[in-house]
Amino acid sequence: MTNQPLGGNELARFSGPQTFMRLPAQDGPEGLDVAVLGIPMDIGTSWRSGTRFGPKQIREQSAMIRPYNLQTGAAPFDSLNVGDIGDVPINTFSLSDSLRIITKYYDTLLKSPMIPVALGGDHSLTLPILRSIAKKHGPVALVHVDAHADVNEHMFGVRETHGTVFRRAYEDGCLQADKVFQIGLRGTGYGADDFSEAAGWGFSQHLAPDLWHKSLAPLAADIKEKIGDTPVYISYDIDSLDPAYAPGTGTPEIGGLTTMQAMELIRGLRGLNIVGCDLVEVSPPYDTSGNTALTAANLVYELLCVLPNVAYRS
């Protein structure tokens, strides 16, 4: 018997456990196919802080989500045992120590045969995750949905921040560069090479203006074909969405993706060999309505729906 989210007719949705989708809380990944965890940190941010509160509010807003995806037929809890294993105990006074803690935590976590799904937290957390993922799977493919390429050389002289993640991951050999897809890039920069340098490494970049008014289903199909059976990590920055949909984030950029495009993209990745994913940069203080976290929770659910071996009902 797999874990099931607590239903709204069993206990009112505004009560009960403060876990993702009110799933059972567990001390570790034993017996799980998917482990949901929080990484509540914002010490890697460069503009607006507050993402340390992201995991808690994503969990809170996820209480609204029901287990069956009416639109796609996905029933992830029919076939996957999913649990919430709590938060990584980061050092909120030290970014470098927190990154070390996250890698060590994932090294232990990945000894179990399950898929980790992280709730962020700022984007710097993805680097230590990728370092650990690569130890187990070798260099992986990457689907990175974001307003920013996060390939800076440094920020204030610091080499490991939320804006340097994928340069460091590339340099560390965590990624198969010809199977890295960055989607939704836009905004202003410091020079023409802000994006183009990573393209020279082999990264495939899809700028937001090229995606305006289009379905992302064809793009997802193309990505899926190019990645094939290669193990893939998905990193989803909520600022990939236009701030009209997700204002509660640290570095908002106008002209972003819509929630409908976000769902199309994720749903189109079904069938990939996904070995981990994260949803990052939700900053609750900048959206007191909770809508950004509600959107984030639903996108995490959509990610659960496309993981390997998810059951689909007719």
Side-chain angles (χ1 to χ4, degrees):
M1 175 69 79
T2 59
N3 292 336
Q4 295 295 319
L6 185 60
N9 292 323
E10 299 171 71
L11 188 65
R13 295 190 180 278
F14 46 78
S15 57
Q18 298 299 301
T19 56
F20 186 77
M21 289 184 66
R22 304 198 301 173
L23 285 159
Q26 296 197 198
D27 293 332
E30 292 74 20
L32 295 179
D33 300 304
V34 180
V36 180
L37 62 143
I39 308 181
M41 59 183 284
D42 56 17
I43 43 179
T45 56
S46 57
W47 178 226
R48 305 194 310 197
S49 59
T51 54
R52 66 180 64 188
F53 302 111
K56 181 173 287 189
Q57 196 181 51
I58 292 170
R59 287 177 169 120
E60 175 189 324
Q61 293 296 326
S62 73
M64 179 64 192
I65 306 172
R66 302 168 187 85
Y68 175 57
N69 194 326
L70 287 170
Q71 299 144 72
T72 67
F77 306 102
D78 282 5
S79 52
L80 297 180
N81 199 29
V82 186
D84 190 322
I85 61 172
D87 290 342
V88 179
I90 60 101
N91 179 348
T92 196
F93 297 108
S94 171
L95 177 57
S96 59
D97 193 39
S98 292
L99 301 185
R100 180 193 61 79
I101 290 168
I102 295 167
T103 295
K104 184 177 179 181
Y105 186 96
Y106 264 74
D107 286 349
T108 301
L109 192 63
L110 291 172
K111 292 177 182 177
S112 299
M114 51 80 239
I115 299 172
V117 177
L119 313 176
D122 74 70
H123 219 155
S124 57
L125 62 85
T126 303
L127 176 59
I129 293 174
L130 286 172
R131 286 171 171 162
S132 186
I133 289 277
K135 291 177 187 176
K136 180 172 182 177
H137 297 284
V140 294
L142 175 73
V143 178
H144 170 213
V145 193
D146 201 327
H148 313 97
D150 293 346
V151 292
N152 294 337
E153 174 59 50
H154 59 78
M155 303 183 80
F156 285 92
V158 179
R159 288 172 52 80
E160 296 178 346
T161 74
H162 78 156
T164 64
V165 174
F166 299 104
R167 178 184 288 268
R168 297 288 94 82
Y170 166 71
E171 292 172 346
D172 290 354
C174 300
L175 305 174
Q176 294 191 29
D178 63 340
K179 294 185 178 181
V180 171
F181 299 87
Q182 297 186 303
I183 302 157
L185 306 182
R186 62 189 188 277
T188 54
Y190 294 102
D193 62 350
D194 278 13
F195 293 158
S196 62
E197 184 179 8
W201 305 339
F203 289 16
S204 178
Q205 298 177 320
H206 300 271
L207 275 61
D210 296 332
L211 305 175
W212 289 348
H213 316 299
K214 295 179 181 178
S215 167
L216 295 196
L219 174 59
D222 183 60
I223 290 171
K224 186 174 164 182
E225 180 181 359
K226 289 176 179 174
I227 290 177
D229 295 330
T230 303
V232 58
Y233 189 86
I234 300 176
S235 187
Y236 210 107
D237 189 323
I238 201 68
D239 74 24
S240 60
L241 299 181
D242 190 274
Y245 300 94
T249 190
T251 316
E253 305 279 2
I254 67 168
L257 306 181
T258 68
T259 52
M260 291 70 76
Q261 287 177 310
M263 295 167 80
E264 285 180 318
L265 178 63
I266 294 172
R267 291 173 181 180
L269 300 178
R270 178 189 174 195
L272 285 176
N273 180 18
I274 301 167
V275 295
C277 51
D278 62 52
L279 190 295
V280 299
E281 297 286 357
V282 172
S283 182
Y286 289 93
D287 184 359
T288 55
S289 73
N291 280 345
T292 302
L294 175 66
T295 298
N298 277 274
L299 294 183
V300 172
Y301 172 72
E302 292 288 343
L303 287 167
L304 291 179
C305 289
V306 299
L307 294 180
N309 302 314
V310 165
Y312 274 67
R313 301 179 190 174
S314 59

